[in-house]
Amino acid sequence: MFLTPKPYLQAIVITDLFYDPSFRIWPFSCIISSLEDIVTLISSIGNIIGIKSSDGRSAAFHSQLLEVAGLSQDASNFIFNKINDPLTEVGQEIKAWSESTNLELKSAHLESKIRNISINITQICNLHCTYCAAGGDGTYGAPQKKIDIEKTLPQLKLLLDKTTSGTVHINFIGGEPLLFPMGIKLIAEYLKLEFKGRDLLFKFVITTNGTLINDDILKILTDIHAYVNVSIDGTPAVNDIRRPQKNGTGSTSIVLENLNKLINVKSQLGGLGLTSVFDRNHTEVFKTWQFLSEFPVDWIELNFSHTETSEEASQKFMNEMAQVAAAAYKKGEEKELRKIKAFDHYFNLLDDQQRIENFCGAGKSLVVLDAKNEVYPCPWMVGDKNEALGDRQGLKTVALAAYQTPVADKNPCSTCWAKFLCGGGCMFIHKNKTGSKTKVDSAFCERTKDLIANTILYYEDSRREAEVKNETH
Amino acid sequence: MKHIKKIQPKRKESSKPAREAVGLTCIPTGNPPDRD
């Protein structure tokens, strides 16, 4: 039935491509395609997406309402086997769902106010990772030992001027942020004091190479209830090569020793997670997950490198992520699967029924302050003067205005079934591959849709199982 | 419905503000897993 099947996942789009008004029946036919082909059905994608895995699981997804459903055998046949007389009972049901509305659906349009600030608290690093995107050595080509705290505090006040309520994430990055732990402490203390009168909840996130943890740093991290991300790319054999110290020796033994220190105080932290990066030189996602999942941490991030353009590596990443999802789900169902951030993210969106119109909010709800107090839309653009949004003197109104239009509207996403779970994708990745922020990198789109389709299958499976259990008891 | 079994989403309490449009896995931003 499937002409060009893709390993593991296939998706079906119900479409009105072949509508003939003279039939006076529900206008759709069924196009069967592999996931790759969905991208080509730009003008004919309907609201209902069927997703089927090669191990027999299936689910349907309403691409506008973000609803997920299980299918009866008849409905599955209707969608997947092209037995689709629209006058039948099942045909009428699918039509009704496709055309339905959902008053609970939350708008994608959020106010333009800053809710995420990443701070390059240093632009130096004690490691020399082979794939470092910060200028190759953590400096972005402009080393800066410490951000100037006196200049930074009023800048933060200005950036948060319009943010009167809700959660604000302050992400300390670098270089290696724990080379300047006192800076983290001072900024955290200032924000909590300065904005005491507002209904704001600050969450302090530190992304660290994990080599510098000592008692003083542990005290700061626990005092501010930090969310700590430790970067590690897998087993010592892999990580030592990819993330060496400046003298060339491996960093893994130090990181693992320090990870244990963090695990010992985990209850006093906001959370603790591990982060890995994959590219053409490292595609062993499954082995990495097997290694990382043995540690008692709260989350694991498995990221495809933002600067990697190899489509072969991207395909391998997708296949390995599908294996990871299957193994995690088998190990501990939804709970274990959702330890992996990518899957947790889409579970959250499906549960909240919150449409996403900006992939990350860069320039709108997210800005970066570099160690020289210049403002950028995203961490990957630091050092690119053309992308600067301002400095300590103030913000550039025109430059900021360019980011207020939703990314998903600027990019060619209008007919993509995954639009409202993706939000238009990463502008940096698109530009890095195609030369334009609004010209999408097709490999990025495929990776994202693959992750979303996989998540929908597990979402349906886990929640249906839970409902059956509830009915039984 | 007989043929389509919709999954009931586990929504957060209605009084909570709309979720951030924070996308996924921007490594240095390290968005924590419990974002609103």
Side-chain angles (χ1 to χ4, degrees), chain A residues 32-280:
Chain A
I32 297 173
S33 76
S34 67
L35 266 178
E36 290 95 330
D37 297 330
I38 288 173
V39 178
T40 67
L41 297 172
I42 288 169
S43 65
S44 57
I45 293 178
N47 289 334
I48 309 296
I49 309 298
I51 302 166
K52 192 176 185 180
S53 65
S54 53
D55 62 5
R57 289 171 301 127
S58 65
F61 172 63
H62 195 303
S63 61
Q64 301 301 306
L65 304 184
L66 312 187
E67 292 174 338
V68 173
L71 300 167
S72 71
Q73 191 57 51
D74 283 349
S76 184
N77 286 339
F78 190 91
I79 293 175
F80 294 106
N81 298 334
K82 223 175 172 181
I83 305 168
N84 54 10
D85 178 354
L87 294 178
T88 59
E89 182 184 50
V90 61
Q92 293 297 311
E93 262 190 38
I94 292 175
K95 178 190 178 190
W97 185 30
S98 180
E99 294 175 353
S100 63
T101 55
N102 182 351
L103 298 176
E104 300 287 334
L105 187 70
K106 291 177 190 167
S107 165
H109 296 281
L110 296 179
E111 290 176 75
S112 300
K113 53 188 178 188
I114 305 294
R115 295 183 176 280
N116 282 271
I117 302 176
S118 289
I119 304 172
N120 284 83
I121 194 121
T122 70
Q123 276 173 216
I124 51 170
C125 188
N126 59 323
L127 295 191
H128 201 279
C129 302
T130 55
Y131 55 89
C132 176
D137 57 359
T139 67
Y140 296 87
Q144 179 84 13
K145 256 187 162 180
K146 297 175 179 178
I147 198 168
D148 185 322
I149 296 295
E150 280 187 26
K151 291 175 186 170
T152 302
L153 301 184
Q155 257 187 311
L156 292 172
K157 191 177 177 185
L158 175 70
L159 289 170
L160 292 171
D161 184 42
K162 292 180 184 168
T163 311
T164 52
S165 63
T167 304
V168 177
H169 292 112
I170 304 294
N171 308 293
F172 295 101
I173 58 177
E176 166 51 40
L178 293 182
L179 283 169
F180 187 25
M182 190 50 68
I184 294 173
K185 178 181 160 70
L186 291 171
I187 288 173
E189 285 175 349
Y190 166 79
L191 289 172
K192 282 197 276 193
L193 196 65
E194 178 65 30
F195 294 97
K196 206 175 178 182
R198 293 194 200 171
D199 185 20
L200 292 178
L201 174 64
F202 285 101
K203 291 191 174 180
F204 301 105
V205 186
I206 287 103
T207 299
T208 172
N209 62 33
T211 59
L212 300 169
I213 308 295
N214 57 33
D215 287 347
D216 290 342
I217 286 176
L218 283 175
K219 177 148 189 356
I220 290 172
L221 296 177
T222 52
D223 280 352
I224 65 172
H225 206 56
Y227 292 79
V228 182
N229 257 327
V230 178
S231 301
I232 180 167
D233 281 354
T235 59
V238 172
N239 192 65
D240 278 344
I241 291 171
R242 287 173 64 77
R243 304 182 58 80
Q245 301 180 71
K246 284 207 161 151
N247 63 12
T249 58
S251 63
T252 315
S253 60
I254 304 167
V255 174
L256 293 181
E257 192 184 325
N258 287 340
L259 180 58
N260 275 327
K261 294 178 192 169
L262 288 164
I263 288 168
N264 287 339
V265 299
K266 191 160 80 77
S267 62
Q268 299 166 62
L269 297 170
L272 177 63
L274 302 172
T275 297
S276 297
V277 178
F278 301 92
D279 54 29
R280 69 185 72 190

Side-chain angles (χ1 to χ4, degrees), chain A residues 406-459:
Chain A
V407 177
D409 289 346
K410 284 192 281 195
N411 289 350
C413 306
S414 61
T415 54
C416 177
W417 63 267
K419 172 182 176 180
F420 291 123
L421 293 179
C422 166
C426 170
M427 289 180 275
F428 176 85
I429 291 177
H430 292 333
K431 188 179 174 186
N432 189 48
K433 182 72 176 284
T434 69
S436 167
K437 289 176 194 165
T438 55
K439 194 174 174 188
V440 298
D441 169 17
S442 58
F444 172 89
C445 295
E446 290 309 311
R447 276 200 309 280
T448 304
K449 285 190 284 188
D450 205 62
L451 283 170
I452 291 174
N454 244 319
T455 308
I456 289 169
L457 284 175
Y458 288 109
Y459 184 86

Side-chain angles (χ1 to χ4, degrees), chain B residues 14-26:
Chain B
S14 56
S15 61
K16 214 161 186 176
R19 268 175 43 82
E20 311 295 350
V22 174
L24 119 112
T25 58
C26 196

